[in-house]
């Protein structure tokens, strides 16, 4: 009812000279209004490609080959490029990992902010300037007027990231996608930026899709967590359950290696081995070669993503196959 975004069986493949790479391999999840959802998982598991697919920014040789991205009654995989540009400017915004690459180095911050408002909200130049300076103040930039007249290189990394957030929120988007928004920043600034994002989304009722490999960040800001492994969702839960009672052996390994929790020490405290190459995935469950509790069936058959105990929480693991709850999606990936 309260769903803002629903991703269904999304598959995004890269068609390279060396073969087809199924980077996003049948991903399904949904995001509620006003909620912060985090996607976590090791490097290469498909987090960024998932978010680029939602925004339809996947470049050749990548292509969405299957699935839906339902947003406000539209399937974004099907709308025209013109409609998609409107969605990108007004309804879904994205913050990238390195703000320097997404700010134009030769245009003053203020003009870049103004442009968005003039283009998407059809504001007059005078009104846009006022709104831009107000936005800079809202994201915690003290001398808004001065920063308005600065070039990107004149700002620190933390300031640039704040400017990016101001830009992303200036059109009052319904969904903000933030791909590792704080990775390039030091820990103190990182905490400030996260707090700021949280506060701004509370004020504006924006939903956030936060992509990160940092579980500390997740604990601080997320309501729900999606754990990805090798192009698939392996677990999805509310943040409390995920930390208190992680189900999938991969999630348990991730938590243990990040948080060094005593109860997970032992053979699960680090995850042995590497993420499989997307072009050469193992048979059965993709995680089985690294799983400390793999059974015979795990080597042969892919488990499905199942709801647990009448909750919205889901896990893709043969350990939980015996539970009685019905299948949510008959996945064939
Ligand atoms: N342009 C491309 N051409 C070929 N393969 C690609 C391309 N972009 C991504 N991939 C493949 O898709 C897979 C998923 O990449 P993605 O960038 O989504 O990972 P990620 O989870 O965001 O990792 P990280 O934490 O390092 O950002 C990777 O294995 C990568 O090799
Ligand atoms: Mg990435």
């Amino acid at each position: 009812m309260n769903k803002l975004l629903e991703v269904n069986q999304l598959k995004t493949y890269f068609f390279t000279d060396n073969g087809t790479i199924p980077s996003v391999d049948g991903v399904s999840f949904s995001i509620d209004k006003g909620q912060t959802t985090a996607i976590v998982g090791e490097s290469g598991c498909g987090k960024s490609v998932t978010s680029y697919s939602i925004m339809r920014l996947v470049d050749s040789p990548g292509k969405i080959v299957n699935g839906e991205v339902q947003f406000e009654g539209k399937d974004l995989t099907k709308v025209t490029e013109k409609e998609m540009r409107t969605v990108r400017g007004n309804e879904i915004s994205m913050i990238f990992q390195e703000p320097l690459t997404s700010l134009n180095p030769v245009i003053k911050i203020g003009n870049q902010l103004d442009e968005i408002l003039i283009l998407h909200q059809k504001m007059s130049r005078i009104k846009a300037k006022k709104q831009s300076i107000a936005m800079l103040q809202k994201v915690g930039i003290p001398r808004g007027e001065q920063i308005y007249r600065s070039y990107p290189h004149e700002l620190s990394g933390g300031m640039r990231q704040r400017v990016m957030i101001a830009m992303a929120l200036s059109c009052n988007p319904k969904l903000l996608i933030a791909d590792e928004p704080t990775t390039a920043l030091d820990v103190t600034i990182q905490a400030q930026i996260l707090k700021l994002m949280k506060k701004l989304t509370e004020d504006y009722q924006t939903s956030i899709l936060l992509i990160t490999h940092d579980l500390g960040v997740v604990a601080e800001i997320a309501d729900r967590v999606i754990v990805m492994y090798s192009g698939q969702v392996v677990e999805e839960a509310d943040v409390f359950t995920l930390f208190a009672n992680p189900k999938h052996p991969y999630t348990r390994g991730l938590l243990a290696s990040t948080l060094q929790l005593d109860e997970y020490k032992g053979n699960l405290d680090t995850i042995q081995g590497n993420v499989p190459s997307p072009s050469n995935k193992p048979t059965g469950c993709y995680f089985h070669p690294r799983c400390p509790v793999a059974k015979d069936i795990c080597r042969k058959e892919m488990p499905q993503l199942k709801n647990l105990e009448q909750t919205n929480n889901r896990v893709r693991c043969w350990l939980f196959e015996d539970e009685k709850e019905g299948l949510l999606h008959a996945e064939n990936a």
Side-chain angles (χ1 to χ4, degrees), residues 95 97 139 156-162 165 178-199 210-221 258:
I95 305 175
Q97 182 170 344
V139 298
S156 67
M159 280 296 165
R160 279 199 292 264
Q161 198 57 296
R162 279 167 201 262
I165 294 172
D179 190 354
E180 305 272 5
T182 57
T183 314
L185 307 173
D186 73 50
V187 180
T188 335
I189 310 286
Q190 191 173 351
Q192 286 172 13
I193 298 277
L194 289 172
K195 259 202 206 104
L196 172 71
M197 276 174 53
K198 188 84 187 159
K199 173 154 175 21
L210 175 72
I211 292 161
T212 179
H213 57 263
D214 186 336
L215 284 166
V217 167
V218 173
E220 203 155 316
I221 192 172
T258 312

Side-chain angles (χ1 to χ4, degrees), residues 83-281:
E83 278 179 89
M84 200 57 218
R85 271 199 297 273
T86 312
V87 170
R88 278 186 215 118
N90 298 299
E91 302 185 75
I92 309 182
S93 295
M94 191 157 174
I95 305 175
F96 299 89
Q97 182 170 344
E98 180 31 71
L100 258 193
T101 56
S102 22
L103 287 169
N104 189 328
V106 298
I107 299 177
K108 288 181 182 168
I109 298 289
N111 292 351
Q112 300 197 43
L113 272 164
D114 290 354
E115 254 348 279
I116 300 174
L117 296 168
I118 293 166
L119 189 71
H120 294 292
Q121 306 219 338
K122 315 274 178 261
M123 268 187 202
S124 68
R125 209 158 268 286
I126 295 168
K127 205 164 165 217
K129 179 175 180 184
K130 231 173 135 186
Q131 172 77 7
S132 295
I133 293 173
M135 247 359 253
L136 290 172
Q137 273 153 0
K138 280 216 178 77
V139 298
I141 293 176
R143 299 171 312 279
E145 294 251 11
Q146 188 188 330
I147 300 297
Y148 181 91
R149 290 191 304 271
S150 306
Y151 287 99
H153 72 265
E154 297 176 293
L155 310 186
S156 67
M159 280 296 165
R160 279 199 292 264
Q161 198 57 296
R162 279 167 201 262
V163 170
M164 284 304 299
I165 294 172
M167 277 182 158
L169 292 174
S170 63
C171 290
N172 211 351
K174 299 193 173 90
L175 176 65
L176 174 67
I177 301 179
D179 190 354
E180 305 272 5
T182 57
T183 314
L185 307 173
D186 73 50
V187 180
T188 335
I189 310 286
Q190 191 173 351
Q192 286 172 13
I193 298 277
L194 289 172
K195 259 202 206 104
L196 172 71
M197 276 174 53
K198 188 84 187 159
K199 173 154 175 21
L200 290 169
T201 53
E202 278 162 8
D203 293 352
Y204 292 89
Q205 281 300 299
T206 312
S207 304
I208 305 184
L209 180 63
L210 175 72
I211 292 161
T212 179
H213 57 263
D214 186 336
L215 284 166
V217 167
V218 173
E220 203 155 316
I221 192 172
D223 301 304
R224 283 192 77 74
V225 190
I226 292 161
V227 184
M228 280 187 70
Y229 188 80
S230 194
Q232 293 184 327
V233 175
V234 295
E235 184 158 4
E236 183 190 334
D238 63 274
V239 70
F240 300 108
T241 307
L242 192 100
F243 281 91
N245 188 10
K247 294 280 198 287
H248 199 284
Y250 176 65
T251 313
R252 299 199 315 239
L254 262 191
L255 280 171
S257 54
T258 312
L259 305 175
Q260 294 296 310
L261 298 180
D262 285 347
E263 67 232 67
Y264 298 121
K265 292 236 168 97
N267 64 353
L268 276 176
D269 69 350
T270 50
I271 309 173
Q272 305 289 324
N274 297 311
V275 188
S277 147
S279 53
N280 188 20
K281 296 191 187 189

